Each structure stands twice: as structure tokens, then as C-alpha cells.
């Protein structure tokens, strides 16, 4: 792999990207303005690090092929060419990639195409083919042998919480084993059978406990198990993490160096190990980690050139007009959208209820960068507002479930003390979760944020009468929420009355093109209040 090293010391550099979410170019697709993100900028840092130390491993930690209009266009509109993200990783000579939960969003055919086009292995030791009872993506680990240096094992693991979010058709025939149990099995194998000197676990998941004091930081659902992996599985030198979109470096848990590089290529994670040759075996004697920011870093011209054709086609597609708007649906203040009924959210509700054939709907403003709609609606605005490839489901819930869901959403707001309305830390850390605050149509409700969490819903009516907590109601929502995603556990296992398998963004386009013109309307059925 590298030229022979006859020294008794060795420096190994491990570089990690994670949660790139289809981000190659340093732009904001909503308006094409510059943005300090992207693999093209990260690539420049990678080249520098390889010049500093030729003994370098490069790993992507998952959530690679979904997340931008460029990625969506390739997956859904024009997928004849090689996947653009894979094209870039091939060019950069990645050593391995890990399957992330969003890899499944477009189905196994799209994912399988990306995997088959890769010049590097995709790893996920705990994604199991039920029929064969073996890892679905092939060998769960890869070994890199440096000439005159250490033997390094890289094990890939994916958060096993995927069935709680994903469309069942996209993961048919697959099972997802527990991450801790999987790590224990394969780390032992790497140490005892493969005789590796260094074990790197690349885990598309995050931490369920505070890294420094070990206190529980989120419900222990199994979605994130990084702390347990470090404390319960012996033999790990490095734990590369992701999924939570956190920026973590300079931290150790139980002697394991941990790192996480945020999202969309804002940082490149770097771990450096110092090894010494003792009794003919390489021993790690020092570990450190850091995050290298892309801010101010020029984009790599080679990667920009590679994806230019993809980008040109995407931009043409994004600027396609699909309809006219009478009125105002622009987002000037995302907090105001979440405080009372708005024409933008009302439109999404109307579309969901039409395709779901029901009169109750739940949705969210997914991101604070959502622009809303202008008078001339384009594909760009659709994908900028509805950023996830969700589908819709109609599920049958009780009135109590509706109340519980509203109380869960109401926890989005910090207690009101007279100094302004703020978002609760629980929805900001370890990563922003604006997409987990839902707004409803078809019911009338009021949330009082001066009250304690869990006691904030002060009004809840259906068709002018108090909702029957024991009654049953059909509600249309996205598939992520319908499966309990975002800790909406009250929705798990509910009867599915209707499944609409088309991406919501496509439903929005269909709705608008059929009508030609839509009008901004507001149904004032809900509001957030506080006591002065």
C-alpha cells in the first residue's frame, strides 16, 4: 500500500467524512448562493493531509447518496450515469464507506447501483440478509496492511433503528442487528483471528450518553449506541461516528478516541495514531483527533469538473416552472410559521389530505432554510421546502395518541418566562430537530408554552367538539413519523389505512401542475400562546 517502513515507529492518519447528504458543491440550492460546505472543499483538505502523511486511510461514515437536489435528480430523474457521490469517492480513492440509514431512502435498486459502481467496499456488519443470515453488503470489515507497518481492521456498523423510519419496501428481506452485539462479535474476530494491530470501528450512529460524564442524554432506544460500544466492547482503538450531525473531536471514552464531523461536508474529521514496534507487534501509544473546517478552503477543481454535467442538468430541472401562486407563501421568520397557522403549511396539509383521502393531517417545517413559495413556483422551491424523500401514510390513531403527539411537539418550545420564545435545548442538541415539531390540520388546538411540558395542550377539538380520547381518527403524515420517528412512539404499530408510495415532493408537483394556479389560504385552527 505504501513504501516499506523499517522504523520502529509509525504514524497513521485516519480521515472521515460523514452525513454528506449528497453535498458536493459549495452552494445553497434554494438560491444558488455560496455556502461553506461540500465534498469539493473537503477534497482539498484530503489532498493536503495525504501530502503530510502517506500512511492515510479515508472512510465515509454513511448518509452519502441522499440529501440535495443533485442527489435526488440522479436517483429519481436521470440515473443512467454513475452515482455522482460515488464518482467523487472513487476519484478520491476512498478506502471504505459505511451504509447510513438514508442510503435506503430511494430503495435497494438505487442503493445497489451505487454499491456496484464503487471502487471501494461498503460495510455494514449488522445489516443482515434474512434468507442467507449473512451481512447483506458482503464482508463486514476490510483490512489494510501497510508495508513495514501495522495491520489495520476497519469494521462498519449501521444504526439498527432503520425499520422504525424506512419504507418497509425499501428494506424488504433485511434485518438490522444490535450495534453493540455486532461490534463485540467482529472486534473480537479482528483481534483474535485476523491479528490486526489497530481496530477502527466506523459506526453510522451517535452517542446516547454525555461523552464526558456518561449521563443519559437521550432515550436509549438503540438508535445511538456509541457510548456503549466504547465502554462495553474491548479492543477498539478508534470509533468514527455520525448520524447525529454533531461536531466532536478531542474526546476519549474508555480509552477509545471518538470523532464526528458534522454534516454536509462542513468538516473533515482527522484521527492520528502513533504506534511503536514492540516484540514484533505494533502498539498504539498515542491517539488524538481534530476537525478540519472547510470554511475558506477552495473547492477542488477536479471534483467540480467531474460533476459539472450532473449539476447543469439539475439546475435546468430545478428552474422548471410548475405553477402560479396567488398570495404570499414565503418564509421570512421560521419561528412565526411554528406559532400559528400559515398558508405554506396549510398547502402541504391540503395536498396530504387530498392524496391521503382523510381530513386530518400532520406535517412540519423541516428546516429553517426553507424559503416557502414565490409567485412563480419552480421545482427548486419544492425540493428546497420538502427536503426529504418521504412518502405518505394514513394511520388510525386514538384521540389520546393525538393529544400525546401534540404534547410531544409542544416540548419544542423552552418554558416561556417573558424573555422571548425560544426553542428547547432538547430540539437543538445534540443536533437541530426542527423537523420533529409537527403542525396539524383538521383539528383545532392551542398550545400554552407558559405551562409545564406535558401539560401544554389547553384546547383540542375535532369538528367543534372536544376530541374523544378513546375514539379513532385517520391521520395522514409522512412515513418517518408514521413509524414513530422523532420519538413519536404513540404512532408505532398503528393500523395503516392507506399507503401512498410516491415521494411527497412529487405529489406537490402533481397537485400544482394539475391546478396551474394555487392560492395562499390560512385556516386559523391552531396557535401557540403564552401567559404575560
Amino acid at each position: 500500500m505504501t513504501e516499506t517502513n523499517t522504523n520502529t515507529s509509525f504514524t497513521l492518519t485516519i480521515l472521515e467524512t460523514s452525513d454528506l447528504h449528497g453535498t458536493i458543491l459549495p452552494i445553497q440550492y434554494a438560491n444558488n448562493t455560496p455556502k461553506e460546505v461540500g465534498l469539493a472543499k473537503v477534497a482539498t483538505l484530503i489532498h493536503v493531509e495525504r501530502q503530510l502523511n502517506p500512511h492515510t486511510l479515508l472512510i465515509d461514515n454513511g448518509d452519502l447518496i441522499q440529501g440535495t437536489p443533485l442527489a435526488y435528480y440522479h436517483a429519481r430523474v436521470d440515473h443512467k450515469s454513475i452515482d455522482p457521490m460515488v464518482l467523487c469517492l472513487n476519484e478520491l480513492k476512498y478506502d471504505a464507506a459505511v451504509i447510513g440509514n438514508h442510503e435506503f431512502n430511494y430503495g435497494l435498486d438505487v442503493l445497489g447501483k451505487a454499491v456496484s459502481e464503487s471502487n471501494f467496499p461498503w460495510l455494514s456488519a449488522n445489516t443482515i440478509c434474512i434468507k442467507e443470515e449473512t451481512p447483506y453488503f458482503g464482508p463486514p470489515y476490510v483490512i489494510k496492511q501497510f508495508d513495514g507497518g501495522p495491520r489495520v481492521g476497519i469494521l462498519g456498523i449501521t444504526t439498527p433503528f432503520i425499520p422504525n423510519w424506512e419504507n418497509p419496501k425499501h428494506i424488504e428481506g433485511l434485518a438490522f442487528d444490535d450495534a453493540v452485539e455486532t461490534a463485540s462479535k467482529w472486534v473480537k474476530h479482528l483481534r483474535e483471528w485476523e491479528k490486526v494491530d489497530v481496530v477502527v470501528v466506523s459506526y453510522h450512529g451517535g452517542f446516547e450518553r454525555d461523552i464526558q460524564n456518561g449521563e443519559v442524554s437521550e432515550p436509549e432506544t438503540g438508535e445511538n449506541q456509541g457510548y456503549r460500544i466504547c465502554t462495553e466492547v474491548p479492543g477498539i482503538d478508534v470509533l468514527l461516528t455520525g448520524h447525529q450531525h454533531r461536531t466532536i473531536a478531542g474526546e476519549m471514552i474508555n480509552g477509545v478516541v471518538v470523532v464526528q464531523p458534522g454534516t454536509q461536508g462542513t468538516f473533515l474529521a482527522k484521527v492520528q495514531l502513533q504506534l511503536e514496534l514492540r516484540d514484533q507487534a505494533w502498539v498504539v501509544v498515542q491517539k488524538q483527533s481534530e476537525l478540519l473546517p472547510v470554511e475558506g478552503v477552495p473547492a477542488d477543481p477536479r471534483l467540480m469538473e467531474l460533476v459539472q454535467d450532473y449539476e447543469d442538468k439539475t439546475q435546468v430541472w430545478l428552474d422548471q416552472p410548475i405553477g402560479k401562486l396567488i398570495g404570499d407563501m414565503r418564509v421570512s421568520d421560521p419561528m412565526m410559521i411554528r406559532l400559528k397557522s400559515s398558508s405554506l403549511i396549510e398547502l402541504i396539509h391540503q395536498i396530504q389530505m387530498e392524496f391521503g383521502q382523510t381530513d386530518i393531517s400532520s406535517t412540519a417545517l423541516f428546516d429553517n432554510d426553507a424559503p416557502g413559495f414565490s409567485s412563480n413556483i419552480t421545482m427548486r422551491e419544492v425540493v428546497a421546502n420538502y427536503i426529504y424523500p418521504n412518502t405518505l401514510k394514513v394511520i388510525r390513531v386514538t384521540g389520546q395518541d393525538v393529544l400525546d403527539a401534540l404534547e410531544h411537539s409542544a416540548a419544542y418550545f423552552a418554558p416561556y418566562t417573558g424573555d422571548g420564545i425560544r426553542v428547547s435545548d432538547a430540539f437543538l442538541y445534540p443536533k437541530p430537530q426542527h423537523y420533529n415539531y409537527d403542525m396539524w390540520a383538521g383539528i383545532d388546538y392551542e398550545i400554552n408554552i407558559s405551562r409545564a411540558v406535558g401539560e401544554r395542550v389547553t384546547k383540542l377539538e375535532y369538528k367543534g367538539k372536544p376530541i374523544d380520547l378513546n375514539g379513532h381518527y385517520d391521520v395522514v403524515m409522512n412515513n418517518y413519523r408514521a413509524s414513530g420517528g422523532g420519538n413519536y412512539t404513540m404512532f408505532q404499530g398503528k393500523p395503516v389505512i392507506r399507503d401512498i408510495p410516491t415521494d411527497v415532493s412529487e405529489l406537490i408537483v402533481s397537485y400544482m401542475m394539475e391546478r396551474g394556479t394555487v392560492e395562499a389560504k390560512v385556516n386559523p385552527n391552531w396557535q401557540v400562546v403564552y401567559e404575560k
Side-chain angles (χ1 to χ4, degrees):
M1 181 175 179
T2 61
E3 58 188 41
T4 303
N5 181 1
T6 57
N7 296 328
T8 58
S9 62
F10 192 95
T11 301
L12 174 64
T13 299
I14 303 163
L15 303 177
E16 177 208 9
T17 53
S18 189
D19 299 272
L20 286 168
H21 286 287
T23 308
I24 300 172
L25 305 179
I27 62 171
Q28 173 68 46
Y29 276 97
N31 51 21
N32 281 343
T33 54
K35 191 175 182 181
E36 296 285 1
V37 297
L39 183 58
K41 281 175 167 281
V42 171
T44 300
L45 296 175
I46 292 171
H47 296 321
V48 171
E49 291 302 317
R50 281 175 166 158
Q51 289 176 353
L52 293 173
N53 182 18
H55 308 129
T56 297
L57 296 175
L58 178 58
I59 302 167
D60 183 78
N61 192 57
D63 281 3
L64 178 73
I65 65 172
Q66 172 276 335
T68 58
L70 186 147
Y72 182 92
Y73 180 81
H74 175 75
R76 289 290 193 237
V77 182
D78 183 1
H79 51 262
K80 294 178 181 178
S81 302
I82 183 173
D83 186 286
M85 297 303 296
V86 170
L87 178 67
C88 291
L89 266 61
N90 284 345
E91 173 69 18
L92 292 170
K93 295 180 171 55
Y94 269 68
D95 292 289
V98 174
I99 297 291
N101 53 293
H102 282 285
E103 256 66 73
F104 296 97
N105 285 172
Y106 298 125
L108 286 177
D109 287 345
V110 172
L111 176 53
K113 173 180 176 294
V115 170
S116 68
E117 293 166 344
S118 302
N119 295 338
F120 49 86
W122 287 78
L123 309 175
S124 184
N126 62 323
T127 300
I128 304 300
C129 173
I130 295 174
K131 183 177 181 180
E132 302 295 334
E133 297 183 342
T134 56
Y136 179 80
F137 294 97
Y141 61 82
V142 63
I143 293 176
K144 296 292 182 178
Q145 174 70 66
F146 289 87
D147 291 342
R151 184 172 167 84
V152 181
I154 305 167
L155 173 67
I157 302 176
T158 305
T159 174
F161 211 59
I162 290 171
N164 293 280
W165 308 309
E166 191 55 70
N167 184 332
K169 295 179 182 178
H170 293 172
I171 54 174
E172 194 170 1
L174 301 182
F176 298 87
D177 289 349
D178 180 79
V180 180
E181 293 175 3
T182 300
S184 180
K185 171 185 175 179
W186 290 106
V187 170
K188 182 178 181 181
H189 178 87
L190 284 168
R191 288 291 186 184
E192 296 182 359
W193 291 92
E194 294 287 4
K195 304 298 182 183
V196 298
D197 302 294
V198 178
V199 171
V200 178
V201 175
S202 190
Y203 165 53
H204 188 82
F207 298 96
E208 74 283 21
R209 292 177 176 265
D210 185 278
I211 292 174
Q212 296 180 337
N213 59 33
E215 294 181 0
V216 175
S217 57
E218 64 175 53
E220 295 195 29
T221 60
E223 177 180 355
N224 298 298
Q225 298 175 288
Y227 196 89
R228 285 188 59 201
I229 290 174
C230 290
T231 55
E232 297 181 22
V233 181
I236 301 173
D237 295 294
V238 180
L239 182 68
L240 308 177
T241 67
H243 184 58
Q244 291 176 315
H245 297 185
R246 297 171 67 178
T247 51
I248 300 172
E251 300 284 356
M252 299 264 262
I253 301 175
N254 193 33
V256 180
V257 61
V258 299
V259 69
Q260 190 171 143
T263 182
Q264 295 184 319
T266 49
F267 293 91
L268 174 67
K270 175 183 178 181
V271 174
Q272 199 151 68
L273 305 181
Q274 300 295 334
L275 297 94
E276 291 183 359
L277 191 60
R278 298 177 180 176
D279 297 326
Q280 298 184 327
W282 288 101
V283 178
V284 178
V285 296
Q286 186 177 343
K287 308 174 184 179
Q288 61 185 34
S289 64
E290 62 181 310
L291 296 180
L292 308 177
V294 303
E295 185 175 1
V297 174
D300 177 46
R302 174 57 180 160
L303 253 60
M304 299 284 282
E305 177 187 355
L306 277 177
V307 300
Q308 191 60 56
D309 184 57
Y310 295 85
E311 178 66 8
D312 290 343
K313 292 178 180 178
T314 301
Q315 291 292 343
V316 170
W317 174 73
L318 285 171
D319 287 329
Q320 288 180 6
I322 61 171
K324 296 281 188 179
L325 170 66
I326 299 173
D328 187 10
M329 285 190 189
R330 290 169 294 183
V331 178
S332 57
D333 183 348
M335 179 60 84
M336 291 303 299
I337 299 290
R338 299 185 177 106
L339 295 180
K340 61 180 180 180
S341 299
S342 68
S343 57
L344 173 63
I345 299 302
E346 182 67 21
L347 176 64
I348 303 301
H349 283 313
Q350 291 300 321
I351 293 169
Q352 291 193 166
M353 289 188 291
E354 175 165 314
F355 286 100
Q357 302 175 43
T358 187
D359 62 355
I360 304 178
S361 170
S362 173
T363 192
L365 182 70
F366 294 124
D367 189 88
N368 283 347
D369 290 329
F373 292 114
S374 63
S375 57
N376 293 301
I377 301 172
T378 63
M379 288 295 307
R380 186 184 304 279
E381 290 179 330
V382 173
V383 297
N385 285 290
Y386 211 100
I387 59 178
Y388 297 113
N390 291 332
T391 59
L392 294 179
K393 286 189 177 182
V394 177
I395 61 172
R396 183 159 292 165
V397 301
T398 66
Q400 184 66 56
D401 294 328
V402 175
L403 175 60
D404 292 343
L406 286 172
E407 289 288 4
H408 184 67
S409 280
Y412 175 81
F413 300 100
Y416 183 79
T417 58
D419 58 350
I421 299 175
R422 297 181 297 105
V423 180
S424 167
D425 285 350
F427 281 76
L428 292 176
Y429 306 102
K431 70 176 180 179
Q433 299 177 54
H434 302 299
Y435 53 84
N436 280 333
Y437 172 73
D438 288 346
M439 296 159 280
W440 291 61
I443 57 174
D444 296 284
Y445 65 96
E446 185 175 272
I447 292 173
N448 188 332
I449 59 175
S450 296
R451 299 195 173 192
V453 171
E455 302 174 359
R456 289 180 163 181
V457 179
T458 54
K459 173 186 176 182
L460 178 54
E461 296 178 350
Y462 176 66
K463 295 185 176 180
K465 296 180 180 180
I467 200 165
D468 181 358
L469 298 182
N470 295 313
H472 290 88
Y473 304 87
D474 292 349
V475 184
V476 60
M477 61 185 70
N478 67 62
N479 64 296
Y480 172 77
R481 187 70 78 240
S483 62
N487 293 321
Y488 282 80
T489 55
M490 70 291 297
F491 296 146
Q492 288 180 340
K494 297 299 180 182
V496 177
I497 305 305
R498 193 167 293 106
D499 189 350
I500 301 95
T502 305
D503 285 3
V504 177
S505 57
E506 295 179 33
L507 298 179
I508 296 172
V509 172
S510 176
Y511 182 93
M512 290 183 173
M513 292 186 72
E514 181 179 330
R515 284 158 179 77
T517 300
V518 295
E519 186 176 354
K521 297 179 180 180
V522 177
N523 176 24
N525 65 302
W526 68 275
Q527 63 178 338
V528 174
V529 300
Y530 51 86
E531 297 166 6
K532 297 182 180 179

